[in-house]
Amino acid sequence: MKILPVLLFFVLPVLTCYAQKETWIKGKWLYKEVADASKLDSQTLKEAKILFRYLEMEFLSDGKYRYGQTIVGTWSLNKEKDKVIISSGGAKPVSF
């Protein structure tokens, strides 16, 4: 019986850490800045800032994502759980 508390001590943190892996993406995401801006020329950077200034994406708990007011497609995480994969209609999935 003394082994059960020790086992729970090691198992419960592992289970709760794994459970939190997908929660980091859920919710609304707003555009803040262009990634790798130093790699872009000034005109492209200016256009990107204009294009994305009101960008809002929401990743829902049911595996769907919303871009604006319309549900556009589905999302998932890759095997390593460090990249998001989105797909919409018949288009090729995109990861980022």
Side-chain angles (χ1 to χ4, degrees):
M1 286 306 252
K2 291 183 180 181
I3 190 111
L4 184 61
V6 173
L7 185 62
L8 288 176
F9 177 78
F10 289 106
V11 171
L12 286 178
V14 170
L15 292 176
T16 58
C17 288
Y18 179 76
Q20 295 174 359
K21 295 270 184 182
E22 293 187 10
T23 59
W24 65 270
I25 188 69
K26 294 177 186 171
K28 284 189 178 181
W29 290 73
L30 303 173
Y31 166 78
K32 185 175 178 183
E33 61 187 44
V34 176
D36 298 329
S38 61
K39 295 180 181 179
L40 302 174
D41 62 78
S42 62
Q43 182 62 32
T44 304
L45 186 58
K46 183 179 176 182
E47 290 173 2
K49 287 180 179 182
I50 292 169
L51 180 64
F52 297 122
R53 68 179 162 206
Y54 300 116
L55 177 68
E56 181 180 293
M57 287 186 82
E58 183 175 10
F59 294 92
L60 307 171
S61 302
D62 61 359
K64 295 180 181 172
Y65 73 90
R66 189 182 320 222
Y67 181 86
Q69 299 298 319
T70 308
I71 294 177
V72 175
T74 58
W75 69 271
S76 61
L77 296 176
N78 66 348
K79 183 179 172 182
E80 293 79 21
K81 302 207 181 282
D82 62 352
K83 291 189 179 190
V84 179
I85 302 166
I86 60 172
S87 59
S88 177
K92 183 179 176 182
V94 177
S95 65
F96 55 93

